[in-house]
Amino acid sequence: MSVLVYTESEQGKLKKVAFEVASYAKAVADQLGTTVTAITINANDTSTLGNYGVDKVLTVSNSELETFNAKGYAEAIQQAAEKEGSKVVVLSSSANSKYLAPLLAIFLNAGYASNVIAAPSSSTPFTVKRSAFTNKAFEEMAINTDVKIVGVSNNAFGLVETSGSATAEAFSPSITDLGIKVESVDKASDKVSIADAEIVVSGGRGLKGPENWGMIEELANVLGAATACSKPVSDLGWRPHGEHVGQTGKPVASNLYIAIGISGAIQHLAGINASKVKVVINTDPEAPFFKAADYGVVGDAFQVVPELIEKLKAFKAQQ
Amino acid sequence: MKILVCISHVPDTTSKINFTDGDTKFDTNGVQFVINPNDEFGLTRAMWFKEKQGANVTVVNVGGAETEPTLRKALAIGADAAIRVNTPATDGFSVAKQLANVVKEGGYDLVIAGRESIDYNGGMVPGMIAGLTNANFINNCIKLDIEGSSVTAVREIDGGKETVSTSLPLVIGGQKGIVEESDLRIPNMRGIMMARQKPLTVVDPVDTNTETASVKFEKPAPKGAVKLVSPDNLDELIRLLHNEAKVI
Ligand SMILES: Cc1cc2nc3c(=O)[nH]c(=O)nc-3n(C[C@H](O)[C@H](O)[C@H](O)COP(=O)(O)OP(=O)(O)OC[C@H]3O[C@@H](n4cnc5c(N)ncnc54)[C@H](O)[C@@H]3O)c2cc1C
Ligand SMILES: Nc1ncnc2c1ncn2[C@@H]1O[C@H](COP(=O)(O)O)[C@@H](O)[C@H]1O
């Protein structure tokens, strides 16, 4: 009956989002009066999950699952859910979890709610609040199936530490034909990815050209942030396509989003609305972004950004 | 190759989002509906397969009669035939069951759907179709090539991209990149005229059980006004982000 949570890792190390979904699973388990079981796939150290409410960890180590495969991972999670008799399975909103979730829903014949932003408001009927209409509204959704899958929106629930410890148990699911083979991966390993980032520094057409991205990179560096851009910037080839955020690009749900030289078109805002705190730096006080932002600086990026970098360095040095 | 392109009929992004019936229904009043942008990219790639490799392209929507103009637009862009499954699209899982049934009946080799629809943002229909029809599934697809039954694709991953290989039958969750914006087609007069002659078949739903249900909608609380900080006082910005917003 325990709540099952898939806690993701990368190169053997649990990701921050793993602790967030574990915290969420703990909240659900408390409502249902049960325990939390986590499943990890090729993760090395899983003991820290105990600090976020996990009671037991099913550790899968399988060389076939070395690179992510939605079907294979969904099969492993399905078998863990069946073994534990879980009625609720908690996933994150990482690209990988969103990829495997609908397959898992079919395997478990479970209703699935994605982009969930809060603990269930009721357990019978099982009802969760999710964001919809590109964050322009919230939807209360009831899941009526016996088994339920909840995809938690990144940074929406936060981390909740408890004092506890998790026991580890080796688990060997049987994996059928994977169907899809990864031929090559092209990924900047030294950079913070937009999906994992707590802070995102984003530049728009107001920056005039790719040669001016040095200061964006540097600001991101000082803050430990990921870099992103508006769509025209990637269309013009100033920045790689993977950095484009918005309705047709990557969604951003960071704690802090800093928009520099971005006007704030509705299609851009659609993708970044889920970010908690928004800062805009723009020469034009009429730019629509000022209506969406929490903090704003009306000023020239070429003056404001270098000065902000210096001041942030001084601030960080004091911390 | 027989291709099925799933078309979700969604409010244009600039639409005002409002609800009626005690906040239980989306208010379609004054809303302009369009082909979901992710589906338009996929449909355009399907046109390439039609023109270069002789594929046959059918578009499908699960929804009421009000979605037919959207399907006609897809026909005007160049699809050969359209199917409408006559039932309201209330929940992603049941939509996927309808679509999986269309796939099985029609024997399609390739199903192109979008990464997500911009109304309910479920992000679940394509994966569920794959699960229900036992097909391979590639999500966040930004490049797709097919020779015979072998498939090479590129998909976006967190922080980069990866190249994958697989085989038909296949379901795609597509997005911008599978074609570029400059490749999108605006239907011309001839296309619109021809679309009127093309078959739009209405079929009955197979199973109308729903796994999830929308209970209520709510709009976010209105946001307070932006706090402006002078460019000469950036220390204040840092102080606010540290002490007030607590994000640095
Ligand atoms: C179907 C569709 C989907 C779309 N999807 C997306 C999407 O996913 N993501 C996206 O971003 N866009 C998207 N767009 C495009 C969107 O409508 C806007 O065109 C785009 O976001 C504008 O980018 P921008 O703000 O960088 O450029 P601009 O609108 O050109 O704005 C540049 C801004 O920089 C400011 N500026 C100029 N000089 C300076 C300076 N020295 N210092 C500071 N500020 C300065 C200007 O005042 C201006 O506000 C989409 C459009 C459509 C039709
Ligand atoms: N009612 C529908 N009819 C046809 N296709 C749909 C429908 N709803 C969703 N889809 C397809 O599934 C994709 C993802 O939708 P969703 O899971 O709702 O985010 C869309 O981009 C469409 O390709």
Side-chain angles (χ1 to χ4, degrees), chain A residues 104-127:
Chain A
L104 182 63
I106 298 302
F107 297 166
L108 289 170
N109 194 23
Y112 162 50
S114 58
N115 306 325
V116 170
I117 56 163
S121 57
S122 130
S123 47
T124 33
F126 190 87
T127 310

Side-chain angles (χ1 to χ4, degrees), chain A residues 211-283:
Chain A
E211 66 282 4
N212 297 324
W213 245 263
M215 63 182 187
I216 300 293
E217 300 264 4
E218 194 178 349
L219 179 58
N221 247 327
V222 177
L223 290 167
T227 53
C229 67
S230 68
K231 189 167 88 63
V233 165
S234 70
D235 287 347
L236 289 162
W238 298 357
R239 298 296 291 176
H241 266 302
E243 276 199 8
H244 144 216
V245 298
Q247 181 204 305
T248 50
K250 283 219 167 69
V252 180
S254 55
N255 285 333
L256 174 60
Y257 183 78
I258 305 181
I260 302 164
I262 298 178
S263 58
I266 194 155
Q267 297 90 353
H268 184 85
L269 297 177
I272 62 102
N273 261 333
S275 294
K276 291 222 179 77
V277 176
K278 289 158 230 136
V279 174
V280 53
I281 300 170
N282 195 307
T283 41

Side-chain angles (χ1 to χ4, degrees), chain B residues 1-214:
Chain B
M1 179 164 58
K2 283 186 77 176
I3 304 178
L4 184 70
V5 183
C6 303
I7 302 282
S8 118
H9 157 95
V10 298
D12 176 76
T13 348
T14 53
S15 308
K16 291 265 172 294
I17 303 297
N18 287 309
F19 301 98
T20 57
D21 292 20
D23 285 336
T24 57
K25 282 208 176 65
F26 176 62
D27 183 0
T28 56
N29 225 321
V31 170
Q32 178 161 2
F33 282 85
V34 295
I35 299 178
N36 185 38
N38 289 321
D39 303 348
E40 196 174 349
F41 292 118
L43 174 62
T44 310
R45 187 63 191 158
M47 287 301 104
W48 188 92
F49 287 121
K50 175 179 150 106
E51 285 154 16
K52 297 279 160 44
Q53 301 186 342
N56 179 284
V57 179
T58 301
V59 290
V60 63
N61 172 265
V62 179
E66 71 282 359
T67 72
E68 288 191 3
T70 300
L71 284 174
R72 287 277 175 214
K73 183 177 175 202
L75 290 171
I77 289 172
D80 301 298
I83 298 172
R84 179 171 67 82
V85 182
N86 189 20
T87 184
T90 47
D91 132 87
F93 202 131
S94 48
V95 167
K97 283 191 288 191
Q98 306 306 332
L99 293 170
N101 185 57
V102 171
V103 174
K104 284 179 195 156
E105 302 255 300
Y108 295 94
D109 309 292
L110 172 65
V111 177
I112 301 182
R115 161 190 85 185
E116 70 171 17
S117 53
I118 61 167
D119 49 0
Y120 294 94
N121 305 113
M124 63 177 86
V125 168
M128 287 178 167
I129 300 173
L132 289 166
T133 59
N134 249 318
N136 291 315
F137 173 46
I138 299 176
N139 205 13
N140 302 100
C141 183
I142 53 172
K143 192 167 184 295
L144 178 65
D145 289 295
I146 300 173
E147 278 305 328
S149 77
S150 28
V151 178
T152 317
V154 179
R155 55 176 230 97
E156 206 167 84
I157 56 175
D158 286 341
K161 53 191 179 185
E162 66 184 20
T163 304
V164 299
S165 62
T166 185
S167 57
L168 299 178
L170 173 70
V171 180
I172 290 293
Q175 63 186 58
K176 178 172 175 291
I178 195 164
V179 302
E180 285 310 320
E181 214 131 284
S182 50
D183 301 321
L184 295 179
R185 301 173 183 192
I186 297 160
N188 58 21
M189 213 23 155
R190 188 161 164 270
I192 295 167
M193 297 303 285
M194 279 170 65
R196 293 194 189 146
Q197 315 301 321
K198 291 179 180 171
L200 191 165
T201 315
V202 178
V203 301
D204 287 330
V206 275
D207 162 3
T208 48
N209 284 336
T210 54
E211 280 71 15
T212 58
S214 256

